[in-house]
Amino acid sequence: MTAQSRKDLVKQGGIWAFIVAELAFFSIAGQFLSVSDSAFMDLDNMLLLLKQSAPIGIIALGMTIIMINGNIDLSVGAIFALAAIVLLDSMTWPFMQALGDWAIPLAWVFALLTGVVLGAINGLIVWKTGVDAFIVTLGSMLGFRGLVFMYNGEQPTSHLNWSLVDFAEAQFLGLHTATWFLLISALALWLLMTRTVHGRNAYAIGNNRDAAVNAGIRVGPHFIWNFMLIGFLAALSAVVFYSESGSVNPNDGMLYELWAITAVVLGGTKLAGGYGSIISTLGGVIAIQLLRKGLGHIGADTQTVNLVIGLILIAVLFLDRQLNRKGKEELKI
Amino acid sequence: QTMTIGITQNNVGVDSYQTTYERAFIAAAEANPNVEAVVLDAGGDVARQIAQMEDLIQQEVDAIIIWPTNGEAVIPAVRKAHDADIPVIVTNSNIAEQGFDFVASFSGPDNITQGARSAEIMCDKFVDMGIQDEARVVQISGQPGYTTAIERQEGFEDRLPEVCPNVTLVETQPGDWNREKSQQVMEAFLVKYDDIDGVYAGDDNMGVGALNAAKAAGREGIIFVGATNFAVGYDAMAAGDYWGSIYQSPVDDAEAALQTAIDTLNGEELPFLNYFDTPKITQDNMEEFTKPVF
Amino acid sequence: MAGLTKQGMVQILARQGILIAFAAFMIGFALVNQRFIAMDNIFGVVRSSAILGVMALGVTFVVIGGNLDLSVGSMMSFSTIVVLDLHDKIGPVMAILAMFALTLALGAFIGFLVGYLKLNSLIVTLGMLSAIHGLTLTWSGGKNMDIADKAGTWFSVFGQGSALGIPVPILIFGLLAAALSLLLSKTPFGRRVYAVGGNGRAATFSGIPRARVVFMTYIVSAFCVATAGLLQASRSLGSQNTVGQGMELEVLAAVILGGASLLGGSGTVFKTVIGVLILGFIQNGLLLVGLDFYVQYMVTWAIIILAVWLDVAAKRGRLWSPIA
Amino acid sequence: MTDPVPVLRLEGIVKTFPGVRALDGVSFTLLPGEVHALMGENGAGKSTLMKVLGGIHAPNEGQIFVSEEPTVMTSPMHAKAKGVVFIHQELSLADELSVAENIFLGELPLHAFGRVDWQKLYADTDAILKALNVGFDARTRVGDLSIANQQMVEIGRALTVDPRAVIFDEPTASLTDSEKVVLFDVIADLQKRGVGVIYISHRMEEIFKITDRISVLRDGQYSGTLHTAQTNEDEVTQLMIGRSLDLSRAENTHQMGEIALEARGLSCGKLFRDISFNVRKGEVLGFYGLVGAGRTEIAETLFGLRTPSSGQILLNGEEVRINSPIDAIRLGISLVPEDRKDQGLVLGMNCRDNMTLPQIGDLTAGPFVNEGAEGAIFDQYRDKLDIRTPGWRQIVGNLSGGNQQKIVIGKWLSMRPQVLIVDEPTRGIDVGSKAEIHNLIRDLAAQGLAVIVISSEMPEVLHVSDRIVAMFSGQIMRDFTAGEVTEDNLIQAISGISAEKVA
Ligand SMILES: Nc1ncnc2c1ncn2[C@@H]1O[C@H](COP(=O)(O)OP(=O)(O)OP(=O)(O)O)[C@@H](O)[C@H]1O
Ligand SMILES: Nc1ncnc2c1ncn2[C@@H]1O[C@H](COP(=O)(O)OP(=O)(O)OP(=O)(O)O)[C@@H](O)[C@H]1O
Ligand SMILES: O[C@@H]1[C@@H](O)[C@H](O)OC[C@H]1O
Ligand SMILES: [Mg+2]
Ligand SMILES: [Mg+2]
């Protein structure tokens, strides 16, 4: 361990410390406040926690890469919804129905492809126009949502396929299908970011785009790949979630982008780009889900949940900053 | 013995119906020494509601009451509870038929009848005014995908031609149970159509939003009929601006749901659909009703 | 100045791209539908854009100062609920004063977190979006808030009245826009906002109290939100807890459409007003032609990207990004 | 001996920016194995010419030949593929990444499936670092390095490939003498291997030490090429600015006044310890030391940007508390900071607004900014400092580096301070302007100002200062009075050799 990685550990350790604090708090408070007899930290409950973290979690993983890359993607919620529509609706197409259960993998492919294509559109616009990704994806957040509504008006799109539900509800080695998807995605992306040139270039570009351009890195195509990747992941999240629920409202996935970004930032990734970690994002996602679950566990009412979640976000940000302070000698900037 | 009953509500705080429901539910549960309640709110998010179902199953509550955010999306989660031998009671807005096998019973208003009654209220008024042969109506429906909304629309659209065959329903747009949104929808209708005689809104919040839009645009003489009589709707009726609605109490709704759950756990025979009554209310008969508390 | 001629012209054209797009849009729709440019329709659009517009004015300051404000929608719900609730309890005048005070206090809290504690504004205001919603629900008990005597209160004048033949919301929007435009472009405070947003470190090195300037941008924003809440409450005299929900992104879209850079340091009040009007007229125009609201989403998408693209293209002097 | 084939040849290059004709038909030839200086005033177009060569800017007209083959440089990547390596004027590094990743940015060594070959990467980097003789290793995070060391990382990039030509754009602007020696070795080595080197610098002594030929640009036009061995500084200056410079220093004719600013036992954590010095009205006090010696931090403390852990600051004999730049400005202290892009300027703002920023609160008519007064100040300092800009509306980010620096100086002079602190005031400034700035500093002192000059250029400190404080590793080693200072004892002092530490 170099001094560098130790420093990173402290820098990124905050989120795990926070998770431990949450666990402790809800376990103790649960003793007094919860009507349920089962303990909060029960294994099944923790496994559920991972499962429930999957929808936002998978998106947040992609968001980590986009943000390390120095961009942001506000359209993921809309991509999520559109991919879900394609997933469910495609299974009702005549030729697909003729395929029986073989329609399922094909429907997945269609949905994932939808995500990739929408991501590519974002990436292409960001690259070619040079407009900031925040603005481009703020626009496509609206535009893609428009496509969602165009598909089925304001009505939900539904198709309940029980084989699909059974698959999605299955548990393998104790972990739910959704958890597997989350963990495998995390592992793959972690390898991508730490071991490959693509990952390292993502850091370089996010850190100093001009430097990357000057060094001859093809920044534009690189952007497209990453936007396709997050499009893919948003669609994957939809595939995982809607396989189990079978119906999508045109408003589904709204605000997901903001929760995903929150999880990423809680994990310590810099909004400005160039710095961040996939594993810490996983921490951020779990921290948020834990907070929701824990507040439900101790019976907090709606207004308290809203108030507490909001203030905790801010508090974590504050703590993180205190932890990373350089000390008194610091430049007062 | 005490029974633990979990409830996952749709979206508390989105309107006062849902908030009042929550209060009433908690009050009813507290009043009953045999009941412990776990009260959760999905905040309108399907994913969160499914997670809450899983949490309740995991906590091994005795029964689960669900106010679905999406009548179809929650079916697998309901099945999960069913498989875990936890009876599920659907409240307020039913889930889709495919899920009926996994549900112990439904408790709530009969929304198809409500829609039909609203059509009757409106038609009667048109007849009074003598415009039953030329009147043009717009509809502002509730949250898309929400069974209550779908059923009220269905009831209204089926019944209206039966009672007033010559009235035309010009356009329907969702107002998402939201006063602001439906005010905008109505503003748009007013821009588009010079001649509007009646507005049917899926609830009074939306109806009043539409009324505000009409007032602001100076369009008079429009007949507003809603559903779920809110306090604002009642006041607007008293002021003579708003014609009629359906009287539906969230307190009845909540108490009925809890009672249905208790009855189910006590092994009583229950019909699958437990409707509580929701009568017509118009400017003509409103003295018979107390002003809604929400 | 030999180089200026052609390139310079292109640049000037593109810099005013948003105005030109606006004019083209108006003329186009006017040709399709006469009613579009009828005075009452125009008034109608401006009036219904006024609430969004007032909020966008404030967010313009925040954005130029280099930050974001995602809490304005939630905060506007709060202002609306508070003033409606207090109206019947302490009378309209006191209610308005109290509501402004409370909203400004919220703004001050955010300003303190972002300005003095230097916490990231995206996350802070996202957190506040949720927290303020909780606060609103606590205040109202989750119930709709309605003024009892709707016919009898003069409070309705802000949202429904008119003066000199002009609807009051338009008047308020216009006056506020003019005042804030002066504040931003002509006063030392305005200059400091640009400097802090453009390069905060350099601003500090220049003796500019960066924290205070950022703090003040949130105060301006909160003031605008309170005004918007007043308009909203007065317009409908009753409200759900969620009136402002989702407006934060619409507001941001209007500000960006007006050409403010999210990196801070650029944008003007005037352009934001144009951004607001464009959004309003797109909505209205498409409606008149009979298109569904989601078409409006897609048109807005296209217009946002085109407008900003033109702007950056003008700044760099070429259409396509030079990035390989 | 036949003429060798030029590595690079540029012909009739024209490049315009909105409102500016940066290059106007420039031609230039680089031979293998030569070190070719490119000189010219600030804004003459040197960096722009190199950016055209490096594929960053597309020229409006003209042609590039690589080994006599006509080539269109489409991107930096393309230029690199053609063997042209570019060491930029502004640091171009990703500071969150390691030294190794930065040096090999864009060409990390690979295993299968796009995996980075870390072992090879670190080994190759360590070899390069060894050649550069620096004290950090391949895994160090670049952001943790001093500016000088970052510059060395940048230079390390020239050693990664087998280049045909290497362009150094003001590489020594933030290097001290020891690192310069290393750099010159690197250049000599490249030269031996037949690589063509283009060397941009404003420092005459370097030019005459290492280059073979000198080409000069003036106002975007080519104005001539000289053989270094056959010319002299004056001739080059003539070619650059059309006149000779009088580089002799005006001797002190004025009387020094009271002590204006004094530090007593000032410390700030690990940054510097027990610093005591004073500067009188009418005096120029030089601060000399190696990069990292802590001079900038002292300046920042005096300007209220850092909180001292102990010690006192006295102004005109009275103790003062300076908690922020606002306090400092109120007390009549100005600081021209070290890093103009980061600390000195709001790059997206126009020239005038940048210049008047610190005093904008006072330039008012009623509640509003008095733009007339602002314009007057801008005009005054534009003329005084000879700032080249198409007008006050020009965005500062579009000015050449040297002109940007002048805007910063103008900004702080216009505050009419009692004490002026300038940190590396002529970094990246051309000879003409440098002389002007030096004269200006002397003039300001003559008018009774107390001036502190922090510089890493020995000739500069020696030239402008009345007294010199030598620093080493956060401490003052010696306080030289005029007359006793020589290059030798100065070098000794800043290397920590001197024992005569002044308390
Ligand atoms: N991107 C740009 N947009 C507009 N003008 C520019 C741009 N880049 C350079 N210029 C202008 O082109 C001219 C040449 O600038 P350049 O940076 O090449 O000068 P330089 O010779 O390198 O000066 P210095 O010694 O100060 O670095 C200047 O007038 C500068 O303002
Ligand atoms: N090893 C280091 N790790 C982190 N920051 C450093 C390190 N060395 C220097 N710095 C920072 O880099 C900046 C430049 O400081 P520098 O080392 O140049 O000191 P200096 O005495 O001001 O020298 P000079 O004036 O020649 O630049 C300072 O803000 C300093 O804190
Ligand atoms: O107002 C609505 C009510 O009519 C319906 O029954 O339930 C949902 C409520 O939001
Ligand atoms: Mg240059
Ligand atoms: Mg320094």
Side-chain angles (χ1 to χ4, degrees):
Chain A
M1 277 265 142
T2 59
Q4 183 52 41
S5 36
R6 255 201 311 278
K7 216 169 108 191
D8 275 1
L9 218 68
V10 178
K11 254 190 184 169
Q12 297 171 355
I15 192 66
W16 302 105
F18 178 59
I19 289 176
V20 171
E22 280 184 284
L23 283 172
F25 174 79
F26 289 124
S27 300
I28 296 167
Q31 302 284 319
F32 302 100
L33 298 169
S34 171
V35 296
S36 143
D37 302 326
S38 52
F40 185 65
M41 257 176 77
D42 156 309
L43 177 67
D44 285 336
N45 202 25
M46 293 300 109
L47 289 178
L48 259 184
L49 174 81
L50 283 177
K51 183 210 163 190
Q52 293 162 352
S53 303
I56 301 264
I58 294 175
I59 297 177
L61 294 175
M63 193 69 83
T64 311
I65 296 181
I66 289 284
M67 283 170 58
I68 287 174
N69 211 184
N71 291 318
I72 201 161
D73 190 346
L74 298 177
S75 68
V76 284
I79 296 181
F80 174 84
L82 199 60
I85 286 184
V86 170
L87 172 80
L88 298 180
D89 199 59
S90 68
M91 285 190 283
T92 66
W93 300 341
F95 86 91
M96 291 279 279
Q97 285 192 314
L99 291 175
D101 276 352
W102 283 107
I104 294 177
L106 208 55
W108 285 16
V109 171
F110 289 153
L112 294 174
L113 221 56
T114 307
V116 171
V117 169
L118 296 179
I121 293 175
N122 280 334
L124 196 68
I125 298 176
V126 170
W127 172 16
K128 285 299 173 188
T129 63
V131 174
D132 192 73
F134 191 103
I135 296 173
V136 169
T137 58
L138 180 71
S140 50
M141 174 178 86
L142 280 175
F144 295 169
R145 190 62 71 177
L147 291 175
V148 169
F149 279 107
M150 224 167 182
Y151 209 93
N152 213 356
E154 299 197 48
Q155 297 311 318
T157 304
S158 313
H159 178 74
L160 203 50
N161 179 321
W162 286 111
S163 337
L164 193 54
V165 175
D166 289 339
F167 170 78
E169 283 181 350
Q171 271 167 281
F172 177 64
L173 298 178
L175 301 182
H176 296 85
T177 307
T179 310
W180 281 108
F181 275 95
L182 176 66
L183 295 181
I184 291 172
S185 308
L187 181 68
L189 295 178
W190 178 73
L191 288 174
L192 179 77
M193 293 310 280
T194 55
R195 302 290 158 88
T196 72
V197 181
H198 181 86
R200 302 318 295 170
N201 284 351
Y203 280 96
I205 293 170
N207 195 189
N208 186 341
R209 192 189 289 190
D210 289 338
V213 171
N214 289 339
I217 294 174
R218 298 214 57 196
V219 171
H222 183 91
F223 280 171
I224 296 210
W225 281 114
N226 285 337
F227 274 105
M228 278 162 58
L229 187 61
I230 193 173
F232 175 86
L233 289 166
L236 184 66
S237 168
V239 162
V240 171
F241 179 72
Y242 289 98
S243 290
E244 193 177 345
S245 72
S247 173
V248 49
N249 267 338
N251 281 322
D252 280 6
M254 270 187 185
L255 288 188
Y256 274 29
E257 51 281 343
L258 295 182
W259 286 113
I261 292 167
T262 304
V264 175
V265 173
L266 283 186
T269 295
K270 280 190 190 159
L271 273 160
Y275 181 87
S277 124
I278 290 286
I279 305 298
S280 301
T281 290
L282 216 50
V285 172
I286 290 172
I288 292 178
Q289 191 58 35
L290 202 53
L291 200 55
R292 285 202 184 287
K293 208 180 174 75
L295 288 170
H297 184 73
I298 62 172
D301 55 11
T302 307
Q303 54 260 47
T304 315
V305 172
N306 278 296
L307 205 64
V308 168
I309 288 198
L311 294 179
I312 292 258
L313 276 185
I314 296 170
V316 173
L317 209 61
F318 177 70
L319 279 180
D320 180 67
R321 204 187 61 109
Q322 295 303 100
L323 283 178
N324 286 312
R325 266 175 102 98
K326 293 219 180 73
K328 281 212 155 132
E329 302 166 6
E330 211 179 350
L331 198 60
K332 291 185 279 187
I333 274 294
Chain B
Q1 90 295 9
T2 69
M3 37 192 142
T4 309
I5 298 176
I7 179 169
T8 157
Q9 261 191 264
N10 174 8
N11 194 357
V12 178
V14 76
D15 62 28
S16 47
Y17 186 94
Q18 302 214 23
T19 309
T20 310
Y21 180 108
E22 186 187 46
R23 297 278 146 89
F25 187 90
I26 293 172
E30 270 167 9
N32 188 330
N34 295 328
V35 172
E36 292 254 43
V38 182
V39 182
L40 300 174
D41 166 31
D45 181 357
V46 190
R48 210 177 294 165
Q49 184 158 56
I50 292 176
Q52 289 175 347
M53 286 291 289
E54 291 165 345
D55 285 352
L56 291 171
I57 296 168
Q58 202 270 329
Q59 290 177 26
E60 294 170 351
V61 296
D62 298 312
I64 296 176
I65 302 175
I66 180 172
W67 182 338
T69 45
N70 173 327
E72 291 177 276
V74 298
I75 294 175
V78 169
R79 184 181 72 158
K80 238 185 256 177
H82 179 259
D83 290 349
D85 284 327
I86 300 173
V88 177
I89 289 85
V90 179
T91 184
N92 184 282
S93 176
N94 213 339
I95 62 173
E97 256 179 69
Q98 288 155 291
F100 283 3
D101 288 349
F102 316 120
V103 170
S105 58
F106 167 78
S107 158
D110 177 353
N111 289 303
I112 301 216
T113 306
Q114 285 195 356
R117 286 181 178 169
S118 294
E120 289 161 10
I121 293 173
M122 183 166 281
C123 181
D124 289 346
K125 183 65 181 171
F126 285 159
V127 172
D128 262 6
M129 296 163 72
I131 55 170
Q132 72 274 29
D133 287 330
E134 76 247 30
R136 289 155 56 87
V137 177
V138 292
Q139 174 176 231
I140 300 177
S141 54
Q143 181 99 51
Y146 203 84
T147 309
T148 299
I150 297 166
E151 289 179 349
R152 284 187 191 154
Q153 177 169 355
E154 198 180 307
F156 182 81
E157 287 176 6
D158 289 350
R159 186 69 180 145
L160 188 64
E162 289 172 14
V163 287
C164 266
N166 295 326
V167 170
T168 12
L169 175 59
V170 194
E171 192 176 338
T172 301
Q173 288 288 343
D176 299 357
W177 306 132
N178 183 302
R179 203 191 286 187
E180 249 316 285
K181 165 111 197 253
S182 71
Q183 182 159 350
Q184 283 161 15
V185 169
M186 187 66 189
E187 277 166 5
F189 283 154
L190 292 168
V191 171
K192 268 164 101 173
Y193 307 112
D194 286 331
D195 175 21
I196 295 175
D197 301 296
V199 176
Y200 169 56
D203 77 6
D204 275 2
N205 246 341
M206 298 192 293
V208 169
L211 171 65
N212 286 340
K215 273 196 196 159
R219 296 272 278 265
E220 290 182 358
I222 300 179
I223 301 305
F224 290 88
V225 174
T228 311
N229 191 221
F230 281 68
V232 254
Y234 190 90
D235 285 342
M237 257 183 233
D241 292 332
Y242 198 81
W243 176 243
S245 183
I246 304 292
Y247 199 77
Q248 173 190 327
S249 154
V251 179
D252 293 352
D253 202 359
E255 285 170 358
L258 183 62
Q259 195 53 50
T260 310
I262 294 171
D263 291 349
T264 309
L265 286 176
N266 288 335
E268 280 166 37
E269 272 304 313
L270 284 174
F272 181 65
L273 297 171
N274 294 279
Y275 294 131
F276 61 92
D277 190 33
T278 53
K280 295 178 186 174
I281 173 173
T282 64
Q283 283 179 23
D284 287 343
N285 72 344
M286 63 185 293
E287 333 64 72
E288 296 164 24
F289 298 88
T290 53
K291 180 173 159 183
V293 293
F294 60 96
Chain C
M1 289 268 146
L4 190 100
T5 47
K6 206 181 118 196
Q7 253 175 346
M9 287 283 285
V10 172
Q11 197 184 22
I12 288 165
L13 275 179
R15 283 266 168 108
Q16 300 311 322
I18 190 72
L19 269 180
I20 295 169
F22 183 50
F25 184 86
M26 294 296 286
I27 294 169
F29 268 91
L31 291 177
V32 178
N33 194 327
Q34 298 281 311
R35 212 161 132 183
F36 187 63
I37 46 163
M39 215 47 202
D40 65 327
N41 189 51
I42 290 180
F43 264 7
V45 174
V46 181
R47 194 187 49 205
S48 55
S49 304
I51 292 175
L52 182 90
V54 166
M55 286 160 78
L57 298 177
V59 172
T60 303
F61 279 72
V62 172
V63 168
I64 294 176
N67 294 299
L68 284 174
D69 194 347
L70 294 179
S71 68
V72 287
S74 181
M75 208 193 283
M76 195 273 258
S77 304
F78 175 81
S79 312
T80 307
I81 290 296
V82 166
V83 77
L84 287 171
D85 182 46
L86 294 180
H87 178 279
D88 287 2
K89 294 184 178 152
I90 57 177
V93 176
M94 290 309 290
I96 294 172
L97 291 178
M99 178 273 270
F100 267 80
L102 286 168
T103 311
L104 288 176
L106 286 177
F109 181 58
I110 299 175
F112 173 74
L113 294 173
V114 178
Y116 289 93
L117 297 186
K118 298 178 184 67
L119 302 184
N120 179 284
S121 67
L122 177 77
I123 305 298
V124 165
T125 57
L126 185 62
M128 289 305 284
L129 182 158
S130 169
I132 296 176
H133 182 54
L135 210 59
T136 309
L137 290 180
T138 310
W139 185 291
S140 68
K143 295 196 176 177
N144 294 356
M145 213 42 92
D146 279 276
I147 287 177
D149 180 11
K150 291 192 170 145
T153 178
W154 57 265
F155 181 74
S156 61
V157 56
F158 303 107
Q160 303 174 24
S162 61
L164 314 165
I166 303 173
V168 176
I170 298 186
L171 225 49
I172 292 181
F173 179 35
L175 287 176
L176 197 59
L180 291 180
S181 178
L182 279 181
L183 180 64
L184 187 58
S185 64
K186 296 284 177 222
T187 69
F189 169 68
R191 191 69 66 76
R192 291 181 175 135
V193 174
Y194 282 105
V196 163
N199 182 352
R201 292 172 68 87
T204 307
F205 269 86
S206 301
I208 289 176
R210 181 180 175 186
R212 196 165 74 210
V213 171
V214 169
F215 175 84
M216 285 306 297
T217 61
Y218 281 99
I219 294 290
V220 171
S221 178
F223 181 84
C224 290
V225 167
T227 309
L230 177 65
L231 293 180
Q232 175 61 43
S234 160
R235 170 168 114 142
S236 53
L237 302 178
S239 170
Q240 284 170 256
N241 289 275
T242 51
V243 263
Q245 212 166 57
M247 280 181 89
E248 53 280 336
L249 290 176
E250 260 182 277
V251 165
L252 198 58
V255 172
I256 288 169
L257 203 49
S261 156
L262 285 175
L263 301 175
S266 74
T268 68
V269 166
F270 177 71
K271 285 187 173 177
T272 290
V273 171
I274 300 292
V276 169
L277 293 181
I278 289 188
L279 284 186
F281 279 104
I282 291 176
Q283 192 174 352
N284 177 262
L286 294 176
L287 198 88
L288 281 174
V289 209
L291 289 169
D292 280 305
F293 74 95
Y294 45 80
V295 177
Q296 173 208 327
Y297 284 180
M298 311 218 307
V299 173
T300 310
W301 177 29
I303 292 208
I304 286 183
I305 287 175
L306 278 177
V308 180
W309 182 13
L310 268 182
D311 194 50
V312 299
K315 279 183 192 141
R316 69 175 167 236
R318 60 203 268 191
L319 187 59
W320 298 102
S321 150
I323 291 178
Chain D
M1 202 172 88
T2 55
D3 275 352
V5 180
V7 218
L8 287 174
R9 198 157 63 77
L10 296 155
E11 235 182 60
I13 304 288
V14 174
K15 174 72 197 171
T16 61
F17 295 109
V20 183
R21 199 169 175 86
L23 295 173
D24 191 5
V26 174
S27 300
F28 178 86
T29 308
L30 179 67
L31 300 175
E34 77 163 338
V35 180
H36 196 147
L38 188 58
M39 298 196 70
E41 290 178 281
N42 294 127
K46 304 178 294 295
S47 295
T48 306
L49 186 66
M50 292 304 107
K51 284 179 183 167
V52 166
L53 188 52
I56 295 169
H57 290 321
N60 303 60
E61 283 170 41
Q63 244 192 333
I64 302 173
F65 300 87
V66 179
S67 300
E68 287 303 295
E69 233 177 82
T71 309
V72 180
M73 295 286 189
T74 51
S75 66
M77 192 178 36
H78 185 212
K80 214 167 168 183
K82 291 277 168 196
V84 179
V85 175
F86 199 160
I87 312 298
H88 289 269
Q89 178 172 13
E90 312 293 339
L91 284 173
S92 182
L93 299 167
D95 34 325
E96 291 290 349
L97 299 189
S98 65
V99 167
E101 287 177 276
N102 268 286
I103 289 185
F104 285 91
L105 198 60
E107 49 197 358
L108 297 175
L110 294 186
H111 283 310
F113 308 114
R115 279 175 309 135
V116 177
D117 184 346
W118 293 103
Q119 238 172 346
K120 182 165 166 29
L121 175 66
Y122 289 136
D124 289 357
T125 307
D126 280 329
I128 289 173
L129 295 181
K130 210 163 151 210
L132 292 176
N133 194 20
V134 290
F136 51 89
D137 76 4
R139 292 159 209 251
T140 314
R141 185 176 155 276
V142 161
D144 291 336
L145 296 175
S146 67
I147 306 280
N149 279 334
Q150 293 184 3
Q151 187 69 42
M152 295 307 279
V153 172
E154 186 93 54
I155 290 166
R157 288 176 170 170
L159 306 178
T160 58
V161 283
D162 216 3
R164 235 188 277 236
V166 182
I167 303 162
F168 291 97
D169 194 351
E170 296 195 44
T172 56
S174 51
L175 294 188
T176 42
D177 297 333
S178 52
E179 286 129 339
K180 267 185 230 169
V181 172
V182 177
L183 171 67
F184 295 160
D185 285 347
V186 168
I187 291 176
D189 192 52
L190 289 168
Q191 194 176 9
K192 248 181 267 153
R193 282 156 45 199
V195 179
V197 175
I198 300 176
Y199 191 84
I200 301 178
S201 175
H202 294 296
R203 296 181 179 171
M204 287 289 184
E205 75 281 5
E206 291 171 7
I207 301 287
F208 280 90
K209 195 161 160 187
I210 66 164
T211 67
D212 303 311
R213 291 198 294 165
I214 301 171
S215 285
V216 177
L217 293 183
R218 195 170 152 195
D219 287 336
Q221 287 176 332
Y222 173 72
S223 75
T225 301
L226 303 164
H227 283 277
T228 314
Q230 295 156 18
T231 183
N232 55 40
E233 294 196 11
D234 198 45
E235 203 178 350
V236 177
T237 311
Q238 279 279 0
L239 213 50
M240 277 170 62
I241 58 180
R243 62 188 161 86
S244 316
L245 282 173
D246 176 16
L247 291 173
S248 69
R249 172 180 154 178
E251 263 322 307
N252 252 358
T253 49
H254 61 276
Q255 207 51 46
M256 277 188 218
E258 309 276 279
I259 292 179
L261 179 79
E262 183 175 359
R264 284 191 195 155
L266 210 56
S267 302
C268 182
K270 280 177 244 142
L271 299 173
F272 54 83
R273 290 173 306 283
D274 199 18
I275 300 294
S276 301
F277 67 87
N278 61 53
V279 54
R280 293 173 179 276
K281 292 186 173 144
E283 184 181 37
V284 179
L285 177 67
F287 262 79
Y288 187 63
L290 293 176
V291 170
R295 298 160 299 166
T296 296
E297 287 78 0
I298 293 177
E300 286 164 349
T301 308
L302 295 174
F303 201 57
L305 284 159
R306 291 179 193 271
T307 313
S309 40
S310 63
Q312 297 166 293
I313 302 170
L314 289 83
L315 200 67
N316 301 325
E318 271 176 55
E319 188 178 350
V320 287
R321 294 228 152 272
I322 307 176
N323 288 321
S324 69
I326 304 171
D327 291 347
I329 290 170
R330 195 165 38 226
L331 292 168
I333 302 174
S334 281
L335 169 68
V336 174
E338 182 175 30
D339 182 340
R340 63 171 171 266
K341 292 214 165 172
D342 188 49
Q343 305 161 340
L345 296 167
V346 182
L347 288 176
M349 218 179 217
N350 68 42
C351 295
R352 183 198 70 186
D353 292 3
N354 261 293
M355 198 180 275
T356 54
L357 199 54
Q359 51 182 320
I360 194 67
D362 298 326
L363 294 175
T364 49
F368 299 118
V369 171
N370 181 346
E371 297 202 35
E374 268 192 294
I377 289 177
F378 175 76
D379 289 344
Q380 184 187 346
Y381 285 88
R382 181 197 54 206
D383 297 346
K384 192 162 184 167
L385 300 172
D386 189 24
I387 299 170
R388 306 282 169 86
T389 159
W392 65 265
R393 279 200 173 81
Q394 177 69 300
I395 299 299
V396 158
N398 290 343
L399 295 188
S400 76
N403 282 304
Q404 291 182 358
Q405 181 71 8
K406 289 185 189 173
I407 298 269
V408 185
I409 295 178
K411 159 164 134 179
W412 289 109
L413 283 188
S414 69
M415 294 301 291
R416 305 188 169 282
Q418 299 185 49
V419 178
L420 175 67
I421 307 170
V422 287
D423 194 352
E424 308 287 3
T426 60
R427 183 172 280 178
I429 286 208
D430 69 48
V431 277
S433 313
K434 195 174 200 164
E436 286 168 33
I437 289 174
H438 290 165
N439 288 338
L440 191 74
I441 289 174
R442 300 292 321 160
D443 282 353
L444 291 166
Q447 288 160 28
L449 219 72
V451 185
I452 295 175
V453 176
I454 298 172
S455 174
S456 303
E457 272 187 75
M458 190 178 313
E460 178 164 88
V461 245
L462 286 172
H463 183 67
V464 298
S465 317
D466 295 311
R467 239 171 359 116
I468 296 174
V469 166
M471 282 194 69
F472 173 72
S473 173
Q475 278 172 290
I476 292 185
M477 302 308 288
R478 241 187 108 162
D479 194 336
F480 295 93
T481 47
E484 63 174 340
V485 58
T486 65
E487 290 201 15
D488 279 348
N489 56 22
L490 200 49
I491 287 178
Q492 272 189 8
I494 61 151
S495 323
I497 301 167
S498 164
E500 318 162 55
K501 186 181 166 256
V502 175

